[in-house]
Amino acid sequence: MFPKAHAVAYVTMAYRIAWFKVYHPLEFYASFFGIRAEDFDAETILGGYERIRQRIKDIDKMGNAAPAKDKKLVIILELAMEMYARGYSFAPVDIYKSDARKFIVEDKSLILPFSALPNVGSAAAQGIVEARREGPFVSVEEFQVRTRLNKSAMELLRKENCFQGLPEKSQISLFG
């Protein structure tokens, strides 16, 4: 058993967590998901409530044969589903707004950090944030040069529609 002081500390911590979940829910969710950003399944979660529910069912069907990573993911998926049920949402990665590791609260949604995307490591995520400080990007090509991202990370950002409205090349065509 725990000493009495430990029990009081745990109860106090549980009360604080519950208070934030009730009175500052988006900040609670941002903190929770931020701690688990590497395990976050952006594609499923951005798909909405029903997609998350289906993914949980698929993992449950595997039973004990489910990989450990999927078992860990269920907790994240359940909380994401709860967030949707409470009327909140997730916003995809944004090259101008997303943080490297933290979920950003905006209106009634959380903007995903770069690290929530698969295969975007913390160094690459931080590189995007640092390159952004130099000013707006004029093209996808310039974005890649300034951020030094590899081809697979660039393809992932393309797949997530992060470059909407940004021309592919920096060159100006005089003839057409």
mmCIF file of all heavy atoms in Angstrom, residues 55-89:
data_model
loop_
_atom_site.group_PDB
_atom_site.id
_atom_site.type_symbol
_atom_site.label_atom_id
_atom_site.label_comp_id
_atom_site.label_asym_id
_atom_site.label_seq_id
_atom_site.Cartn_x
_atom_site.Cartn_y
_atom_site.Cartn_z
ATOM 1 N N ARG A 55 -12.093 2.021 -36.011
ATOM 2 C CA ARG A 55 -10.703 1.602 -35.733
ATOM 3 C C ARG A 55 -10.623 0.889 -34.383
ATOM 4 O O ARG A 55 -9.923 -0.115 -34.248
ATOM 5 C CB ARG A 55 -9.774 2.818 -35.773
ATOM 6 C CG ARG A 55 -8.321 2.510 -35.501
ATOM 7 C CD ARG A 55 -7.651 1.874 -36.719
ATOM 8 N NE ARG A 55 -6.223 1.806 -36.500
ATOM 9 C CZ ARG A 55 -5.566 0.673 -36.226
ATOM 10 N NH1 ARG A 55 -6.194 -0.482 -36.201
ATOM 11 N NH2 ARG A 55 -4.274 0.696 -36.011
ATOM 12 N N ILE A 56 -11.342 1.405 -33.386
ATOM 13 C CA ILE A 56 -11.366 0.754 -32.068
ATOM 14 C C ILE A 56 -11.966 -0.641 -32.188
ATOM 15 O O ILE A 56 -11.446 -1.607 -31.618
ATOM 16 C CB ILE A 56 -12.142 1.607 -31.042
ATOM 17 C CG1 ILE A 56 -11.370 2.892 -30.727
ATOM 18 C CG2 ILE A 56 -12.407 0.816 -29.757
ATOM 19 C CD1 ILE A 56 -12.137 3.898 -29.902
ATOM 20 N N LYS A 57 -13.061 -0.771 -32.956
ATOM 21 C CA LYS A 57 -13.683 -2.085 -33.170
ATOM 22 C C LYS A 57 -12.695 -3.050 -33.821
ATOM 23 O O LYS A 57 -12.612 -4.218 -33.438
ATOM 24 C CB LYS A 57 -14.927 -1.956 -34.049
ATOM 25 C CG LYS A 57 -16.143 -1.468 -33.337
ATOM 26 C CD LYS A 57 -17.325 -1.457 -34.313
ATOM 27 C CE LYS A 57 -18.596 -1.042 -33.632
ATOM 28 N NZ LYS A 57 -19.745 -1.058 -34.556
ATOM 29 N N ASP A 58 -11.953 -2.553 -34.823
ATOM 30 C CA ASP A 58 -10.981 -3.398 -35.521
ATOM 31 C C ASP A 58 -9.899 -3.902 -34.564
ATOM 32 O O ASP A 58 -9.506 -5.066 -34.624
ATOM 33 C CB ASP A 58 -10.335 -2.634 -36.682
ATOM 34 C CG ASP A 58 -11.323 -2.324 -37.804
ATOM 35 O OD1 ASP A 58 -12.407 -2.944 -37.848
ATOM 36 O OD2 ASP A 58 -11.004 -1.431 -38.623
ATOM 37 N N ILE A 59 -9.444 -3.033 -33.689
ATOM 38 C CA ILE A 59 -8.415 -3.423 -32.712
ATOM 39 C C ILE A 59 -9.001 -4.417 -31.716
ATOM 40 O O ILE A 59 -8.360 -5.424 -31.386
ATOM 41 C CB ILE A 59 -7.822 -2.186 -32.000
ATOM 42 C CG1 ILE A 59 -7.056 -1.312 -33.003
ATOM 43 C CG2 ILE A 59 -6.906 -2.606 -30.848
ATOM 44 C CD1 ILE A 59 -6.654 0.063 -32.484
ATOM 45 N N ASP A 60 -10.224 -4.148 -31.258
ATOM 46 C CA ASP A 60 -10.881 -5.063 -30.307
ATOM 47 C C ASP A 60 -11.068 -6.451 -30.900
ATOM 48 O O ASP A 60 -10.934 -7.456 -30.199
ATOM 49 C CB ASP A 60 -12.236 -4.502 -29.861
ATOM 50 C CG ASP A 60 -12.106 -3.351 -28.878
ATOM 51 O OD1 ASP A 60 -10.994 -3.143 -28.328
ATOM 52 O OD2 ASP A 60 -13.111 -2.643 -28.672
ATOM 53 N N LYS A 61 -11.380 -6.540 -32.205
ATOM 54 C CA LYS A 61 -11.578 -7.839 -32.862
ATOM 55 C C LYS A 61 -10.306 -8.677 -32.827
ATOM 56 O O LYS A 61 -10.367 -9.903 -32.804
ATOM 57 C CB LYS A 61 -12.008 -7.639 -34.318
ATOM 58 C CG LYS A 61 -13.440 -7.278 -34.491
ATOM 59 C CD LYS A 61 -13.780 -7.113 -35.970
ATOM 60 C CE LYS A 61 -15.146 -6.522 -36.168
ATOM 61 N NZ LYS A 61 -15.410 -6.233 -37.592
ATOM 62 N N MET A 62 -9.153 -8.018 -32.824
ATOM 63 C CA MET A 62 -7.884 -8.752 -32.786
ATOM 64 C C MET A 62 -7.644 -9.396 -31.427
ATOM 65 O O MET A 62 -6.844 -10.328 -31.319
ATOM 66 C CB MET A 62 -6.722 -7.811 -33.117
ATOM 67 C CG MET A 62 -6.643 -7.394 -34.558
ATOM 68 S SD MET A 62 -5.125 -6.480 -34.886
ATOM 69 C CE MET A 62 -5.732 -4.806 -34.828
ATOM 70 N N GLY A 63 -8.299 -8.899 -30.412
ATOM 71 C CA GLY A 63 -8.146 -9.462 -29.068
ATOM 72 C C GLY A 63 -6.704 -9.398 -28.594
ATOM 73 O O GLY A 63 -6.022 -8.398 -28.779
ATOM 74 N N ASN A 64 -6.242 -10.504 -28.022
ATOM 75 C CA ASN A 64 -4.866 -10.560 -27.502
ATOM 76 C C ASN A 64 -3.816 -10.531 -28.606
ATOM 77 O O ASN A 64 -2.644 -10.290 -28.327
ATOM 78 C CB ASN A 64 -4.677 -11.808 -26.638
ATOM 79 C CG ASN A 64 -5.439 -11.708 -25.334
ATOM 80 O OD1 ASN A 64 -5.728 -10.612 -24.853
ATOM 81 N ND2 ASN A 64 -5.784 -12.849 -24.768
ATOM 82 N N ALA A 65 -4.227 -10.792 -29.834
ATOM 83 C CA ALA A 65 -3.280 -10.777 -30.959
ATOM 84 C C ALA A 65 -2.977 -9.355 -31.434
ATOM 85 O O ALA A 65 -2.092 -9.158 -32.266
ATOM 86 C CB ALA A 65 -3.840 -11.593 -32.117
ATOM 87 N N ALA A 66 -3.695 -8.368 -30.913
ATOM 88 C CA ALA A 66 -3.461 -6.969 -31.315
ATOM 89 C C ALA A 66 -2.052 -6.551 -30.902
ATOM 90 O O ALA A 66 -1.615 -6.849 -29.781
ATOM 91 C CB ALA A 66 -4.492 -6.052 -30.672
ATOM 92 N N PRO A 67 -1.333 -5.883 -31.807
ATOM 93 C CA PRO A 67 0.010 -5.404 -31.452
ATOM 94 C C PRO A 67 -0.049 -4.430 -30.269
ATOM 95 O O PRO A 67 -1.048 -3.729 -30.076
ATOM 96 C CB PRO A 67 0.478 -4.677 -32.714
ATOM 97 C CG PRO A 67 -0.401 -5.160 -33.810
ATOM 98 C CD PRO A 67 -1.696 -5.557 -33.176
ATOM 99 N N ALA A 68 1.020 -4.383 -29.492
ATOM 100 C CA ALA A 68 1.088 -3.504 -28.315
ATOM 101 C C ALA A 68 0.838 -2.052 -28.707
ATOM 102 O O ALA A 68 0.171 -1.309 -27.975
ATOM 103 C CB ALA A 68 2.441 -3.651 -27.628
ATOM 104 N N LYS A 69 1.346 -1.648 -29.868
ATOM 105 C CA LYS A 69 1.148 -0.271 -30.330
ATOM 106 C C LYS A 69 -0.341 0.038 -30.517
ATOM 107 O O LYS A 69 -0.810 1.122 -30.164
ATOM 108 C CB LYS A 69 1.912 -0.042 -31.630
ATOM 109 C CG LYS A 69 1.846 1.369 -32.130
ATOM 110 C CD LYS A 69 2.709 1.585 -33.351
ATOM 111 C CE LYS A 69 2.581 3.043 -33.769
ATOM 112 N NZ LYS A 69 3.567 3.452 -34.717
ATOM 113 N N ASP A 70 -1.086 -0.910 -31.075
ATOM 114 C CA ASP A 70 -2.531 -0.724 -31.265
ATOM 115 C C ASP A 70 -3.262 -0.685 -29.930
ATOM 116 O O ASP A 70 -4.204 0.085 -29.755
ATOM 117 C CB ASP A 70 -3.112 -1.820 -32.153
ATOM 118 C CG ASP A 70 -2.780 -1.622 -33.617
ATOM 119 O OD1 ASP A 70 -2.215 -0.564 -33.978
ATOM 120 O OD2 ASP A 70 -3.087 -2.530 -34.418
ATOM 121 N N LYS A 71 -2.837 -1.508 -28.983
ATOM 122 C CA LYS A 71 -3.460 -1.505 -27.660
ATOM 123 C C LYS A 71 -3.259 -0.155 -26.981
ATOM 124 O O LYS A 71 -4.179 0.353 -26.330
ATOM 125 C CB LYS A 71 -2.898 -2.633 -26.798
ATOM 126 C CG LYS A 71 -3.348 -4.015 -27.241
ATOM 127 C CD LYS A 71 -2.706 -5.098 -26.411
ATOM 128 C CE LYS A 71 -3.079 -6.485 -26.910
ATOM 129 N NZ LYS A 71 -2.419 -7.551 -26.154
ATOM 130 N N LYS A 72 -2.064 0.423 -27.126
ATOM 131 C CA LYS A 72 -1.805 1.758 -26.570
ATOM 132 C C LYS A 72 -2.647 2.818 -27.274
ATOM 133 O O LYS A 72 -3.079 3.787 -26.659
ATOM 134 C CB LYS A 72 -0.311 2.118 -26.749
ATOM 135 C CG LYS A 72 0.537 1.828 -25.560
ATOM 136 C CD LYS A 72 2.012 2.072 -25.782
ATOM 137 C CE LYS A 72 2.398 3.413 -26.285
ATOM 138 N NZ LYS A 72 3.863 3.609 -26.353
ATOM 139 N N LEU A 73 -2.862 2.629 -28.558
ATOM 140 C CA LEU A 73 -3.609 3.585 -29.365
ATOM 141 C C LEU A 73 -5.074 3.684 -28.945
ATOM 142 O O LEU A 73 -5.674 4.751 -29.054
ATOM 143 C CB LEU A 73 -3.506 3.199 -30.852
ATOM 144 C CG LEU A 73 -4.253 4.056 -31.855
ATOM 145 C CD1 LEU A 73 -3.731 5.492 -31.829
ATOM 146 C CD2 LEU A 73 -4.104 3.458 -33.252
ATOM 147 N N VAL A 74 -5.645 2.599 -28.436
ATOM 148 C CA VAL A 74 -7.066 2.588 -28.067
ATOM 149 C C VAL A 74 -7.389 3.704 -27.081
ATOM 150 O O VAL A 74 -8.401 4.394 -27.217
ATOM 151 C CB VAL A 74 -7.497 1.209 -27.521
ATOM 152 C CG1 VAL A 74 -8.882 1.266 -26.894
ATOM 153 C CG2 VAL A 74 -7.469 0.175 -28.630
ATOM 154 N N ILE A 75 -6.546 3.936 -26.101
ATOM 155 C CA ILE A 75 -6.785 4.990 -25.106
ATOM 156 C C ILE A 75 -6.846 6.357 -25.792
ATOM 157 O O ILE A 75 -7.725 7.168 -25.500
ATOM 158 C CB ILE A 75 -5.682 4.968 -24.024
ATOM 159 C CG1 ILE A 75 -5.763 3.673 -23.233
ATOM 160 C CG2 ILE A 75 -5.807 6.173 -23.100
ATOM 161 C CD1 ILE A 75 -4.543 3.393 -22.383
ATOM 162 N N ILE A 76 -5.937 6.596 -26.710
ATOM 163 C CA ILE A 76 -5.907 7.863 -27.453
ATOM 164 C C ILE A 76 -7.166 7.999 -28.305
ATOM 165 O O ILE A 76 -7.800 9.055 -28.334
ATOM 166 C CB ILE A 76 -4.632 7.948 -28.308
ATOM 167 C CG1 ILE A 76 -3.406 8.016 -27.402
ATOM 168 C CG2 ILE A 76 -4.681 9.137 -29.260
ATOM 169 C CD1 ILE A 76 -2.089 7.802 -28.104
ATOM 170 N N LEU A 77 -7.535 6.923 -28.986
ATOM 171 C CA LEU A 77 -8.724 6.952 -29.830
ATOM 172 C C LEU A 77 -9.991 7.197 -29.016
ATOM 173 O O LEU A 77 -10.876 7.955 -29.431
ATOM 174 C CB LEU A 77 -8.843 5.651 -30.628
ATOM 175 C CG LEU A 77 -7.751 5.387 -31.663
ATOM 176 C CD1 LEU A 77 -7.913 3.993 -32.261
ATOM 177 C CD2 LEU A 77 -7.747 6.446 -32.743
ATOM 178 N N GLU A 78 -10.084 6.567 -27.851
ATOM 179 C CA GLU A 78 -11.270 6.763 -27.005
ATOM 180 C C GLU A 78 -11.392 8.210 -26.554
ATOM 181 O O GLU A 78 -12.486 8.782 -26.556
ATOM 182 C CB GLU A 78 -11.221 5.826 -25.794
ATOM 183 C CG GLU A 78 -11.481 4.385 -26.150
ATOM 184 C CD GLU A 78 -11.255 3.423 -24.996
ATOM 185 O OE1 GLU A 78 -10.576 3.771 -24.009
ATOM 186 O OE2 GLU A 78 -11.764 2.285 -25.095
ATOM 187 N N LEU A 79 -10.270 8.821 -26.196
ATOM 188 C CA LEU A 79 -10.325 10.219 -25.765
ATOM 189 C C LEU A 79 -10.628 11.151 -26.942
ATOM 190 O O LEU A 79 -11.339 12.143 -26.776
ATOM 191 C CB LEU A 79 -9.026 10.617 -25.066
ATOM 192 C CG LEU A 79 -9.233 11.558 -23.890
ATOM 193 C CD1 LEU A 79 -10.118 10.951 -22.833
ATOM 194 C CD2 LEU A 79 -7.931 11.989 -23.294
ATOM 195 N N ALA A 80 -10.126 10.818 -28.119
ATOM 196 C CA ALA A 80 -10.440 11.617 -29.308
ATOM 197 C C ALA A 80 -11.931 11.518 -29.632
ATOM 198 O O ALA A 80 -12.570 12.516 -29.974
ATOM 199 C CB ALA A 80 -9.603 11.152 -30.497
ATOM 200 N N MET A 81 -12.498 10.333 -29.495
ATOM 201 C CA MET A 81 -13.920 10.133 -29.715
ATOM 202 C C MET A 81 -14.734 10.944 -28.707
ATOM 203 O O MET A 81 -15.727 11.589 -29.068
ATOM 204 C CB MET A 81 -14.244 8.638 -29.567
ATOM 205 C CG MET A 81 -15.110 8.104 -30.657
ATOM 206 S SD MET A 81 -15.173 6.307 -30.646
ATOM 207 C CE MET A 81 -16.293 5.981 -29.347
ATOM 208 N N GLU A 82 -14.298 10.925 -27.469
ATOM 209 C CA GLU A 82 -14.960 11.707 -26.425
ATOM 210 C C GLU A 82 -14.922 13.193 -26.768
ATOM 211 O O GLU A 82 -15.915 13.902 -26.617
ATOM 212 C CB GLU A 82 -14.268 11.464 -25.086
ATOM 213 C CG GLU A 82 -14.762 12.338 -23.959
ATOM 214 C CD GLU A 82 -13.920 12.168 -22.710
ATOM 215 O OE1 GLU A 82 -13.973 11.083 -22.096
ATOM 216 O OE2 GLU A 82 -13.202 13.129 -22.344
ATOM 217 N N MET A 83 -13.782 13.642 -27.271
ATOM 218 C CA MET A 83 -13.646 15.047 -27.635
ATOM 219 C C MET A 83 -14.637 15.424 -28.733
ATOM 220 O O MET A 83 -15.307 16.452 -28.653
ATOM 221 C CB MET A 83 -12.201 15.319 -28.086
ATOM 222 C CG MET A 83 -11.857 16.776 -28.154
ATOM 223 S SD MET A 83 -10.116 16.993 -28.556
ATOM 224 C CE MET A 83 -10.301 17.992 -30.026
ATOM 225 N N TYR A 84 -14.747 14.585 -29.761
ATOM 226 C CA TYR A 84 -15.729 14.825 -30.828
ATOM 227 C C TYR A 84 -17.149 14.839 -30.258
ATOM 228 O O TYR A 84 -17.965 15.685 -30.624
ATOM 229 C CB TYR A 84 -15.629 13.764 -31.918
ATOM 230 C CG TYR A 84 -14.568 14.020 -32.964
ATOM 231 C CD1 TYR A 84 -13.502 13.146 -33.124
ATOM 232 C CD2 TYR A 84 -14.640 15.113 -33.820
ATOM 233 C CE1 TYR A 84 -12.537 13.364 -34.099
ATOM 234 C CE2 TYR A 84 -13.680 15.342 -34.797
ATOM 235 C CZ TYR A 84 -12.627 14.461 -34.935
ATOM 236 O OH TYR A 84 -11.679 14.677 -35.895
ATOM 237 N N ALA A 85 -17.450 13.893 -29.375
ATOM 238 C CA ALA A 85 -18.791 13.797 -28.799
ATOM 239 C C ALA A 85 -19.146 15.049 -27.999
ATOM 240 O O ALA A 85 -20.322 15.411 -27.905
ATOM 241 C CB ALA A 85 -18.897 12.552 -27.911
ATOM 242 N N ARG A 86 -18.144 15.720 -27.465
ATOM 243 C CA ARG A 86 -18.376 16.951 -26.697
ATOM 244 C C ARG A 86 -18.453 18.189 -27.596
ATOM 245 O O ARG A 86 -18.562 19.295 -27.106
ATOM 246 C CB ARG A 86 -17.268 17.130 -25.658
ATOM 247 C CG ARG A 86 -17.316 16.075 -24.562
ATOM 248 C CD ARG A 86 -16.223 16.253 -23.553
ATOM 249 N NE ARG A 86 -16.508 17.398 -22.678
ATOM 250 C CZ ARG A 86 -15.667 17.811 -21.732
ATOM 251 N NH1 ARG A 86 -14.514 17.189 -21.548
ATOM 252 N NH2 ARG A 86 -15.984 18.846 -20.991
ATOM 253 N N GLY A 87 -18.369 17.996 -28.908
ATOM 254 C CA GLY A 87 -18.524 19.120 -29.836
ATOM 255 C C GLY A 87 -17.234 19.789 -30.251
ATOM 256 O O GLY A 87 -17.258 20.839 -30.893
ATOM 257 N N TYR A 88 -16.114 19.187 -29.929
ATOM 258 C CA TYR A 88 -14.814 19.738 -30.326
ATOM 259 C C TYR A 88 -14.295 18.960 -31.529
ATOM 260 O O TYR A 88 -14.826 17.915 -31.880
ATOM 261 C CB TYR A 88 -13.825 19.662 -29.159
ATOM 262 C CG TYR A 88 -14.315 20.375 -27.933
ATOM 263 C CD1 TYR A 88 -14.656 19.669 -26.785
ATOM 264 C CD2 TYR A 88 -14.465 21.758 -27.920
ATOM 265 C CE1 TYR A 88 -15.120 20.323 -25.652
ATOM 266 C CE2 TYR A 88 -14.929 22.416 -26.792
ATOM 267 C CZ TYR A 88 -15.252 21.695 -25.667
ATOM 268 O OH TYR A 88 -15.715 22.346 -24.556
ATOM 269 N N SER A 89 -13.250 19.485 -32.153
ATOM 270 C CA SER A 89 -12.710 18.809 -33.334
ATOM 271 C C SER A 89 -11.198 18.970 -33.399
ATOM 272 O O SER A 89 -10.594 19.665 -32.579
ATOM 273 C CB SER A 89 -13.348 19.382 -34.599
ATOM 274 O OG SER A 89 -13.011 20.755 -34.723
#
